[in-house]
Structures are given as structure tokens and as C-alpha cells.
Amino acid sequence: MTASTVQWFDDIEVGDRFESATAYRVTEEEIREFARRYDPHPGHIDPVTAQATVFGGLAASGWHTSAMTMKLFWESGFPVGHSVGADMDLQWPTPTRPGDELTLVLEITDKRESRSKPDRGVVTMQWGTRNQDGEWRQRCRCTVVMFKDPAKAGTPTTPAAPAVPATPATPAQPRRKPAPRG
Amino acid sequence: MTASTVQWFDDIEVGDRFESATAYRVTEEEIREFARRYDPHPGHIDPVTAQATVFGGLAASGWHTSAMTMKLFWESGFPVGHSVGADMDLQWPTPTRPGDELTLVLEITDKRESRSKPDRGVVTMQWGTRNQDGEWRQRCRCTVVMFKDPAKAGTPTTPAAPAVPATPATPAQPRRKPAPRG
């Protein structure tokens, strides 16, 4: 099964795994730029002063790590365009460093129908962002609302909030990998 | 008590409230810029296509809302420079829109000594980011590690990871407000 067939709640299965097709290369310049704008901690901005901070050297803002992870989602084959984040339990076990090459791995852990809206379901997943040495920079357990395939809907009613077109979510290099079972 | 006296774990009290001193004005341009870089959902990038998405119009990436909230933390008087995020339970109840003027309010709900490291403690808080109409754009319950005042430390040992200098965390307009008690 290729990622291009995974677009909707109907297509997702518990145990499915997705991985980013490419790595995100983290630069000192980008770390400092993001920090100056949103999180001006000296540990995120000044490589010299950062030595004396809790980070022990220049490190990305945790929110920057989250933003870069979101970019990796778009390259993982997971149908980002048909889902909306709902609730996240988020941690940054270690700080992201200049030179890191971040990749994302995520696994579907649960799915259920929406109790109130027939055009969607709720999917639970866990994901992790790690660098080239396997050090975890971010871990997350989250639930997302995922829309069902309108073409398979049994009723002629149009959802009040239709999902976005499928095309933008199609990754250049699908990387969906079935998880080992049993 | 002014915010300038709130620098360390020692200074924080359960029930303390902090509010951002200024509002963050959200522009269409910044929403699209952030999204192009990190979260290229059509609902975050194209005002026309966005109408047909689940967002029903242009909306900021949730991670962008988180980043802007981090900026508001720096203006709230909360001693960001002496704390490190540890674990977050994060939600985006409604999407952030162009024209929003975001403010942050946070309340300390618990504090305890670190079980393993005498130079720090663990603080639990909840915070919310809302717009000028009181609509909540982000809610979070989180724990942070907060460092103790080195000047009050009873031992001559130097912490392995010293906290950052206090000065960068000092807000321009302290807004710490004691919470109502009882």
C-alpha cells in the first residue's frame, strides 16, 4: 500500500507507521532567527552566552522543534490535509542542536468514530522526532480529528466543514510502512 | 510584589497569575509566512482555498499559535529564562485568525521540590491564549523545571547546568497579579 491511498479516516489502520521521507537539517542561523522572533532565550540566540545556560550550548526553542516536526509530517505520507490536531501530550526530552538532521516516525495507536459527527473520526497516534544519532528531540502522544472519504459517505448531506482537497497532502516520496503485527 | 522579584523557584507561589503586558497582533502575512515554512496546509496559506477547508477561512497553524504564545510568555513577567518546559498537554480550541490580538494568562497550580536535583523544582501551571473577544485559541496544562536562587543555595556546590542570567527575563512591563484567594 502506498501513501497516496491513505487519505481519509477510512484508510487508516491501527498499527500503521509513517516516516518522513527526508531529514530536516537544522542550522544555527534558523535556530537564532526563530528564537529572536518567538522565544528570545539566550540559550536559543547567542552561541557564547548559551554555554552558561541550562542548555549548555546553542539549542533550538522547543516550539521550533515542534514547527520543524510539522514540516516533516507533510513529507511522511500521513494525510495531514484531512486531519486537525485536537489534543497533544508533548515533551522535548533533549534540546535540538545546530547540525541535527531530524526525522519523524509516527504510529497509529487507536481509531474510533466521532460520537457526534458522522463525517469524521478520532485517531490517536504517538510520534517522535529524532536526530541522526537516534536522540529523541520531541515525543508526542496526540489525538487528531480525521475526515472520512466524502465519496464513500452514505448520505447526500454535505458536511458543514468539508475537508481540504486531497492533492496538497500527497507527499513526493511516500514512506508509509506497515507496522510489524503480533 | 512586582514581577522583577519573581525570578526563581523560591519566588513562585501556587495561585500566582501572570498576564502578557501587550497583545500580539496576528497578520495574514505572518500566518502565510509561517505556514509556507513549516505547515503548508491550504487553510494556512491561501485565503481563497481556505474557505473550503475545515478552517472555513485563513487560520494560523496551531504551532504558529504556540510560537506566538511563547513570545507573550516573555512579556508576562513569568521567569521564562529560569525555567525549562518539561511536559505539556496542549489544545487549540479555535483557530487563530488574521486580526486577532492575542494575550496570555497563566496561573501556577502546583510546585514541588525536585526529587533528584536540589538546585531546582517542578512547577505546574495552566495557561491560555485568547483574542480580543475572549475566544480561546490555545489552552495548555504543563509542568516546567524551574531553578532555585543560587544566592540562597545552602551548599557550595556548583550546579552542573547553571541557569541563565536573570536579566533577559525581566519584562518591560511587569504584570504579575496575585490570584484571588479563598
Side-chain angles (χ1 to χ4, degrees):
Chain A
M1 180 182 284
T2 64
S4 61
T5 65
V6 183
Q7 296 290 351
W8 305 99
F9 177 75
D10 318 68
D11 307 320
I12 216 93
E13 293 172 28
V14 173
D16 282 350
R17 283 168 60 91
F18 297 83
E19 288 184 30
S20 51
T22 58
Y24 193 112
R25 293 172 181 269
V26 184
T27 66
E28 178 177 312
E29 182 186 1
E30 184 178 336
I31 287 175
R32 299 175 68 200
E33 178 192 347
F34 186 100
R36 277 193 297 266
R37 192 151 188 175
Y38 298 115
D39 192 1
H41 190 293
H44 305 324
I45 286 184
D46 182 341
V48 176
T49 310
Q51 300 291 334
T53 69
V54 64
F55 301 112
L58 196 75
S61 165
W63 301 110
H64 188 191
T65 298
S66 297
M68 293 185 285
T69 297
M70 191 64 227
K71 187 62 161 53
L72 292 170
F73 256 95
W74 285 93
E75 298 175 6
S76 71
F78 179 81
V80 191
H82 293 160
S83 58
V84 179
D87 196 343
M88 275 149 287
D89 181 9
L90 185 69
Q91 291 137 36
W92 301 304
T94 59
T96 297
R97 303 290 187 183
D100 272 359
E101 298 184 7
L102 301 178
T103 52
L104 168 73
V105 56
L106 75 96
E107 181 170 347
I108 309 300
T109 56
D110 193 33
K111 68 176 280 190
R112 65 171 175 82
E113 301 278 330
S114 166
R115 294 190 184 96
S116 56
K117 298 182 178 174
D119 67 338
R120 62 196 73 178
V122 177
V123 172
T124 305
M125 67 178 83
Q126 50 193 23
W127 83 69
T129 312
R130 57 187 167 191
N131 76 351
Q132 65 277 21
D133 299 320
E135 296 170 336
W136 293 105
R137 301 311 198 196
Q138 182 172 271
R139 303 299 294 263
C140 189
R141 230 184 137 270
C142 79
T143 55
V144 300
V145 172
M146 188 174 292
F147 293 90
K148 295 182 183 177
D149 186 350
K152 295 181 185 171
T155 67
T157 57
T158 304
V164 299
T167 44
T170 307
Q173 297 177 52
R175 282 289 182 97
R176 185 192 193 182
K177 297 184 180 178
R181 316 269 174 165
Chain B
M1 180 183 282
T2 63
S4 60
T5 65
V6 183
Q7 297 289 351
W8 305 99
F9 177 77
D10 318 68
D11 307 320
I12 215 94
E13 293 171 29
V14 173
D16 282 349
R17 283 168 61 91
F18 297 83
E19 289 185 30
S20 51
T22 57
Y24 194 111
R25 293 172 181 270
V26 183
T27 66
E28 178 177 311
E29 182 185 3
E30 184 178 335
I31 287 176
R32 300 176 68 200
E33 178 192 348
F34 187 100
R36 277 192 297 266
R37 192 152 189 173
Y38 298 115
D39 191 2
H41 190 294
H44 305 325
I45 286 185
D46 183 340
V48 176
T49 311
Q51 300 292 334
T53 70
V54 65
F55 301 112
L58 197 75
S61 166
W63 300 110
H64 188 191
T65 298
S66 297
M68 293 185 284
T69 298
M70 191 64 227
K71 187 62 162 54
L72 291 170
F73 256 95
W74 285 93
E75 298 175 5
S76 71
F78 180 81
V80 190
H82 293 161
S83 58
V84 180
D87 196 343
M88 275 148 289
D89 181 9
L90 185 69
Q91 292 136 38
W92 301 304
T94 59
T96 298
R97 303 291 186 183
D100 272 0
E101 299 183 8
L102 302 178
T103 51
L104 168 73
V105 55
L106 75 96
E107 180 170 347
I108 308 300
T109 55
D110 193 33
K111 68 176 280 190
R112 65 170 175 82
E113 301 278 329
S114 166
R115 294 190 184 96
S116 56
K117 299 183 179 176
D119 67 336
R120 63 196 73 178
V122 178
V123 171
T124 305
M125 68 179 83
Q126 50 193 23
W127 85 68
T129 313
R130 59 187 167 190
N131 77 351
Q132 66 277 20
D133 299 320
E135 295 170 337
W136 293 105
R137 300 311 199 197
Q138 181 171 272
R139 303 298 295 261
C140 189
R141 231 184 136 270
C142 80
T143 54
V144 300
V145 172
M146 188 174 291
F147 293 90
K148 296 182 182 177
D149 186 350
K152 294 181 185 171
T155 67
T157 57
T158 304
V164 299
T167 44
T170 306
Q173 299 177 52
R175 281 291 180 96
R176 184 191 193 184
K177 297 185 180 178
R181 316 271 175 162

